[in-house]
């Protein structure tokens, strides 16, 4: 399993407190990164391989036009 969070303090499965953190509950960076992690997870959970393949085909067509 690979963590989605950009920092360990925002991870659900690989949590680790940052070495210089003074307040894990009120850390604004941790809260923002936890929200980013949740949104990324939502996108990934709602995307199928077929969706990704269709997106890739659209990008290929755009490259041919440009």
């Amino acid at each position: 399993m690979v963590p989605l969070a950009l920092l360990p303090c925002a991870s659900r499965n690989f949590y680790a407190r940052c070495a210089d953190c003074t307040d894990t509950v009120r850390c604004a960076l941790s809260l923002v990164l936890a929200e980013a992690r949740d949104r990324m997870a939502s996108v990934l959970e709602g995307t199928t391989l077929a969706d990704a393949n269709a997106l890739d085909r659209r990008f290929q067509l755009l490259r041919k036009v440009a």
Side-chain angles (χ1 to χ4, degrees), residues 29-51:
L29 183 58
S30 179
L31 295 172
V32 168
L33 292 178
E35 183 175 349
R37 175 209 60 219
D38 291 345
R39 290 183 185 206
M40 184 169 24
S42 178
V43 168
L44 293 172
E45 289 170 356
T47 303
T48 66
L49 291 176
D51 295 333

